[in-house]
Structures are given as structure tokens and as C-alpha cells.
């Protein structure tokens, strides 16, 4: 299915592969979906291995195995060559920020020529907060305190400068847990930390498919990012080929409503702005 008129020539910078243990489909099928949707760029950003854990403790359903990383990079490069005339393929990885393990991550990331690195927080004190099997973890938290902690971890992640763009920056809302306190101050603080760190944020459409049923970030947080001067890009967080570029019309509309006129593309960790399609 084509994207609506004017929505072609966008980028999808958050795409997984079967290597992470919880996505399906051949990489070629993701690329072919991107071409069909009229994207100009697809960035593979599969889950890095759980580098902060001893090898025997890494859940094979949450990230690729360490030995797979070279093969993943080779596969992306193979797709890049094979589809070069139809779509530009970018090399990325979605890497977790885990406080105290910065040196390990820095070493892993230094081994490859990424086009951009996507930084995410899926774990708070070792708890995988986006896993439905660990949903009981929400009962151990005051939801306001959890939001504050989550946003602080996102800010810390950006400040490492390891990441070009930040993934689903309010993932903490995934299952519909809502803070009771007004978040305006927390949003402004986080957006200003992002701006100082020079990172981009993605408008991630996967949230529309989750219990929360809205994109990441919330429109208020997206507006705060715009006001702070933080740029944006697109991510579907596809874990199946048919999810590539899904709901990008909605994402573009939310970006425009927040005040954005363009989005960023990356190559070799250099960014360039591109105009958003008209409404
Ligand atoms: Zn995933
Ligand atoms: Fe993620
Ligand atoms: Fe992802
Ligand atoms: Zn993700």
C-alpha cells in the first residue's frame, strides 16, 4: 500500500529483524515493504545484544546474540547493495542505556560504522518495563515517581553522547499507566537536556498498536521538544515487514502540529534536514 500522496520520500529509522528473537520476517521483506510504501530510506536498528549482562544471563528473546552482531552488519550491507537503486539502507542499532555500563557500550559501538545510533531505555533497575510478562513491576512503583525516573534515565542516556536519536522517549506509558501529576515541567526539563546533548527524537508509531494507543512521544512532550529546539525523525519500530512505515501520516501530522517543518535523515552520523510533507 502506498502512503497517502506527499508522504512518500520519508525515512523509517526504527526497524527490527528476526535476529532480536521477537521480530518476524526476512530482512528483504522489510526492505520490499519500504520500497512499496515509497520510503527513500530504511534504517535497520535491531536490538543490540544485552551487553551489560554476563553472556549466560542474556534473554535471547530481547536482543541478538553477541556473535550475531557481525552477521547483522553484513546482512544490512548486503541489503544496501542489493536494493541500492530502489531505497537507501542505513545501518543502525537500538542500544539500551544502562547506567554504570557506559564503557562497555562505548567499546561495542566503536566497532562499526553506524549511520546513526538509536538510544533507548527498556530497563529500570533491571526491570524490563515494556515486557508484558513483567507487568507486575508497575505495582512496585508510584507511577509519578516512575515517570520521573524514566525521563531522568532518558536524559542521562542522551548526555552520554553515544546516541544520535532517542527511541520511544515515553515508553513508560506503553501499558496505559498515566501519571496523576502535571508533566509540563518534566517534559521541559527532558527536552532541554536533549537539546543540550544535541540528540534527535523519533516519533514512534508503535505506541498506536499498544494498550496506550498513542504515538511516542505524547503530543505535549513532542511540543516541548520542538520548543527546546530538538529535531525529530520517524520510526515505526517494525517487528514485522507489514509494520514498516505504518501510520506515518499520523506521525507527520503530529510533527506539524507540534511546530516542526522538517525531519532529520542521517548518514555516517551526520544529519541533514528534509521538509515534512504538507498536511
Ligand atoms: Zn523489539
Ligand atoms: Fe525499544
Ligand atoms: Fe525497537
Ligand atoms: Zn524499540
Amino acid at each position: 500500500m502506498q502512503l497517502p500522496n506527499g508522504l512518500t520520500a520519508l525515512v523509517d529509522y526504527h526497524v527490527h529483524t528476526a535476529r532480536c528473537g521477537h521480530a518476524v520476517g526476512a530482512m528483504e521483506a522489510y526492505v520490499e515493504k519500504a520500497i512499496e510504501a515509497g520510503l527513500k530510506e530504511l534504517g535497520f536498528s535491531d536490538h543490540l545484544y544485552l551487553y551489560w549482562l554476563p553472556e549466560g544471563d542474556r534473554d535471547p528473546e530481547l536482543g541478538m546474540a553477541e556473535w550475531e552482531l557481525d552477521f547483522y552488519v553484513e546482512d544490512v550491507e548486503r541489503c544496501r547493495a542489493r536494493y541500492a537503486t530502489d531505497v537507501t539502507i542505513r545501518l543502525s542499532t537500538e542500544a539500551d542505556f544502562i547506567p554504570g555500563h557506559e564503557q562497555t557500550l562505548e567499546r561495542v559501538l566503536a566497532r562499526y560504522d553506524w549511520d546513526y545510533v538509536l538510544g533507548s531505555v527498556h530497563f529500570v533497575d533491571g526491570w524490563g518495563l515494556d515486557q508484558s510478562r513483567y507487568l507486575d513491576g508497575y505495582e512496585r512503583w508510584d507511577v509519578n515517581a516512575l515517570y520521573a525516573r524514566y525521563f531522568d534515565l532518558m536524559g542521562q542516556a542522551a548526555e552520554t553522547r553515544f546516541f544520535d536519536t532517542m527511541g520511544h522517549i515515553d515508553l513508560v506509558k506503553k501499558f496505559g499507566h498515566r501519571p496523576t501529576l502535571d508533566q509540563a515541567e518534566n517534559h521541559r526539563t527532558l527536552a532541554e537536556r536533549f537539546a543540550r546533548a544535541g540528540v534527535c527524537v523519533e516519533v514512534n508509531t508503535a505506541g498506536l498498536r499498544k494498550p496506550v494507543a498513542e504515538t511516542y512521544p505524547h503530543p505535549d512532550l513532542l511540543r516541548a521538544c520542538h520548543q527546546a529546539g530538538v529535531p525529530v525523525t520517524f520510526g515505526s519500530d517494525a517487528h514485522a515487514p507489514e509494520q514498516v512505515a505504518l501510520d506515518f501520516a499520523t506521525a507527520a501530522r503530529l510533527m506539524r502540529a507540534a511546530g516542526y517543518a522538517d525531519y532529520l535523515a542521517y548518514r555516517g552520523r551526520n544529519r541533514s534536514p528534509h521538509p515534512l510533507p504538507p498536511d
Side-chain angles (χ1 to χ4, degrees), residues 27-202:
M27 289 171 78
E28 288 78 3
Y30 287 81
V31 178
E32 280 160 21
K33 180 66 216 260
I35 295 165
E36 192 188 314
L39 294 185
K40 69 174 177 180
E41 296 185 16
L42 176 148
F44 279 111
S45 59
D46 205 8
H47 295 282
L48 191 63
Y49 61 87
L50 307 191
Y51 63 88
W52 64 96
L53 295 173
E55 201 149 348
D57 295 348
R58 294 177 188 157
D59 186 335
E61 292 185 9
L62 294 185
M64 68 179 88
E66 185 167 353
W67 63 265
E68 287 188 284
L69 185 51
D70 285 343
F71 296 99
Y72 165 71
V73 171
E74 277 176 30
D75 284 346
V76 173
E77 282 164 1
R78 187 175 42 75
C79 282
R80 177 184 281 159
R82 176 170 169 189
Y83 293 99
T85 54
D86 297 310
V87 65
T88 300
I89 306 289
R90 299 295 183 204
L91 174 65
S92 180
T93 186
E94 180 177 16
D96 269 278
F97 169 68
I98 307 288
H101 295 267
E102 291 86 351
Q103 287 182 353
T104 309
L105 178 57
E106 188 170 28
R107 254 193 325 271
V108 178
L109 293 176
R111 288 168 48 203
Y112 301 93
D113 290 322
W114 310 106
D115 286 305
Y116 61 96
V117 176
L118 180 61
S120 292
V121 173
H122 303 102
F123 295 90
V124 175
D125 303 331
W127 165 47
L129 89 172
D130 66 330
Q131 298 294 307
S132 48
R133 60 194 149 135
Y134 305 135
L135 211 52
D136 58 344
Y138 284 91
E139 289 159 30
R140 293 193 295 271
W141 276 93
D142 166 73
V143 71
N144 294 312
L146 179 60
Y147 269 67
R149 182 74 201 289
Y150 190 82
F151 288 151
D152 182 53
L153 285 167
M154 286 301 315
Q156 284 184 50
E159 284 156 6
T160 64
R161 312 274 172 138
F162 295 163
F163 310 115
D164 302 284
T165 165
M166 308 308 295
H168 40 58
I169 63 173
D170 56 357
L171 180 67
V172 61
K173 72 185 178 184
K174 174 176 176 177
F175 297 107
H177 300 84
R178 297 290 191 177
T180 54
L181 297 177
D182 180 74
Q183 295 296 302
E185 185 65 39
N186 289 343
H187 287 172
R188 187 163 53 243
T189 301
L190 180 59
E192 284 167 1
R193 291 176 81 177
F194 285 164
R196 277 194 299 275
V199 294
C200 174
V201 303
E202 63 173 9

Side-chain angles (χ1 to χ4, degrees), residues 27 230 269 273:
M27 289 171 78
V230 179
R269 309 201 75 168

